[in-house]
Amino acid sequence: MANLPFLPYGRQSVEEDDIAAVAAVLRGDWLTQGPAVAGFERALAARVGAAQAVACANGTAALRLAYAALGIGPGDAVVVPANTFLATASAARHAGAEVAFADVDPDSGLMGVAEAEAAIARAREAGWRVRALAPVHYAGQTAPMDGLAGLARAEGLALVEDACHAVGTVDLSEDGGTPVGAGRPEVAAGSLTVFSFHPVKTIAAGEGGAVTGSDPALMARVRRLCNHGMMREPQAGEGFADPEAALDAEGKANPWYYEMAEPGFNHRLSDIHAALVLSQLGRLDRFIERRARLMALYAERLSPLAPLVRPPALVPWCRPAWHLCAARIDFDAAGRSRSAVMAALRALGVGTQVHYIPVHRQPYWRRRYGDLVLPGAMAHYAHTLSLPLFPAMADGDVDRVAAALERALS
Ligand SMILES: *Cc1c(COP(=O)(O)O)cnc(C)c1O
């Protein structure tokens, strides 16, 4: 195995047409907020079945914009599953809100309705005003959105779907299936979905993210907050920044006029990044297919290692665009620690990663909320190990990983 190239747990697939698309931007007139950003926003919205998409700097910025656009702030709380990346929770805290960590199903790693309800109850006991559910579509599978949207509706909460793992996933809980990103218009308090285009995710911008949604007012606020809170059209409602500057002699908006009703961010995406991710979006279906094929091979090749090793648990309510192959491994029964197994795999040329250390265990959150007891998240964490999964992997690489795992565990 020594001569084979190292297999990372994830890797972008950049091809010549991606490079050409980026080079074309560099030769053109706009390096930021030009036609590539606008084109990507249109293409992404169409792909995920949303009325609008706002492209932004990364997935974390997308979360920050979503929470801010929903008006979430001090005294409020957002329900976040403990099995996620730091950013789902940190972005809520940056908005001034508290985080009500929810437990997850130990097998799928997903937050269900019962777990969300328990987190809401705990938050209310603490005196927080619960404002939103932020389900995470872990590894590419959706959280049970029918139930969670129903809960959001019943409780008057907004929905911020963290779909950083799940661009291209189809939610089958509605008739005919709806792509992740279309949102849940029936959730009156607001429904937004966020994506990341970090290189390890399914399509890459380098750094990039997006918020999708279909409520025009909410999406207008996301767009405004992404760009300093600036508006080009005079709003009149709160008075102009300068009435004379706002309107020209014909009473039309002056092209150089701008006003600000609330402070925003600069979370814009550049055209350089947008060109790459737009080009990648054109290959999303190929990526999804290849990832699905590799996952099917994993299921087959890992089966002789059962029950020590099991492939990810499947949920019936979605057709996943797989981001991670989060295998479940009984390290105790194997008599090997996870770190020892990871080191052995590394020596055999196989990279792995752990998704995730439950966020509520992080020192910042423990200092803030003490030691929460979330047994599902801890059980998921204890057995999870993400195996290599990326489109350029060969079928034979799956055999290589399975063989390496067998050695590392024996
Ligand atoms: C990657 C990721 C983010 C953050 O996205 P960035 O683009 O890295 O800022 C947020 N949530 C989840 C679940 C992620 O996997």
Side-chain angles (χ1 to χ4, degrees):
M1 287 194 187
N3 298 329
L4 293 169
F6 186 79
L7 275 177
Y9 87 90
R11 182 178 159 71
Q12 72 275 13
S13 292
V14 173
E15 295 181 4
E16 285 307 318
D17 57 345
D18 298 318
I19 295 168
V22 173
V25 169
L26 294 174
R27 293 195 180 93
D29 295 328
W30 286 275
L31 293 188
T32 193
Q33 301 289 294
V37 166
F40 174 61
E41 288 179 339
R42 278 194 303 274
L44 181 68
R47 183 64 170 78
V48 306
Q52 286 190 55
V54 171
C56 62
N58 50 60
T60 306
L63 285 160
R64 185 76 183 82
L65 290 170
Y67 294 143
L70 289 163
I72 291 167
D76 294 341
V78 178
V79 175
V80 173
N83 181 39
T84 185
F85 182 56
L86 302 170
T88 324
S90 298
R93 189 67 204 117
H94 276 301
E98 302 296 341
V99 172
F101 286 106
D103 208 1
V104 299
D105 177 84
D107 284 312
S108 69
L110 298 166
M111 172 177 76
V113 172
E115 290 91 357
E117 281 173 340
I120 291 171
R122 252 187 290 111
R124 289 186 177 152
E125 251 167 61
W128 304 335
R129 191 169 58 234
V130 181
R131 291 286 312 282
L133 302 179
V136 174
H137 300 325
Y138 175 73
Q141 299 196 106
T142 57
M145 288 313 297
D146 255 4
L148 291 172
L151 177 63
R153 253 180 84 159
E155 298 286 344
L157 309 178
L159 208 48
V160 176
E161 293 175 61
D162 183 337
C164 289
H165 293 189
V167 63
T169 292
V170 176
D171 182 350
L172 300 175
S173 61
E174 286 188 311
D175 271 354
T178 42
V180 166
R184 294 276 175 160
E186 75 269 25
V187 174
S191 171
L192 295 169
T193 306
V194 304
F195 295 98
S196 165
F197 310 115
H198 182 278
V200 300
K201 311 290 164 80
T202 306
I203 54 174
E207 292 282 356
V211 182
T212 64
S214 295
D215 176 328
L218 196 51
M219 289 306 288
R221 195 171 183 196
V222 169
R223 187 172 294 287
R224 210 161 61 222
L225 287 167
C226 186
N227 186 25
H228 302 285
M230 272 170 77
M231 288 174 289
R232 291 285 171 185
E233 288 295 315
Q235 305 294 309
E238 298 180 68
F240 300 125
D242 173 359
E244 199 184 307
L247 305 172
D248 65 14
E250 272 110 60
K252 293 223 194 69
N254 252 311
W256 58 272
Y257 179 75
Y258 58 91
E259 65 183 50
M260 183 195 94
E262 62 177 329
F265 309 92
N266 176 358
H267 282 339
R268 296 181 309 243
L269 186 68
S270 81
D271 262 44
I272 304 168
H273 296 89
L276 176 56
V277 71
L278 174 58
S279 175
Q280 294 253 308
L281 185 61
R283 285 207 302 287
L284 177 58
D285 286 322
R286 257 171 59 197
F287 289 159
I288 292 171
E289 228 172 88
R290 183 67 196 142
R291 285 168 176 272
R293 159 83 183 148
L294 291 166
M295 288 297 284
L297 277 176
Y298 266 123
E300 214 178 283
R301 302 296 199 268
L302 294 180
S303 66
L305 303 183
L308 273 191
V309 179
R310 289 171 303 151
L314 304 180
V315 299
W317 52 73
C318 70
R319 189 167 68 242
W322 288 106
H323 163 51
L324 297 173
C325 177
R328 295 168 291 165
I329 301 180
D330 191 340
F331 295 101
D332 287 344
R336 293 270 184 289
S337 74
R338 176 164 43 202
S339 346
V341 170
M342 289 175 80
L345 287 171
R346 173 160 285 273
L348 295 167
V350 174
T352 54
Q353 188 51 278
V354 179
H355 298 93
Y356 291 100
I357 298 176
V359 184
H360 71 290
R361 298 300 299 160
Q362 293 297 341
Y364 172 81
W365 294 114
R366 288 171 72 183
R367 205 157 65 232
R368 195 163 183 85
Y369 302 141
D371 286 327
L372 294 176
V373 179
L374 300 175
M378 295 312 284
H380 179 270
Y381 172 56
H383 69 218
T384 196
L385 190 68
S386 298
L387 305 178
L389 184 71
F390 55 94
M393 274 176 71
D395 290 2
D397 289 333
V398 175
D399 296 300
R400 213 179 124 193
V401 174
L405 249 183
E406 189 171 9
R407 269 178 68 177
L409 287 167
S410 62

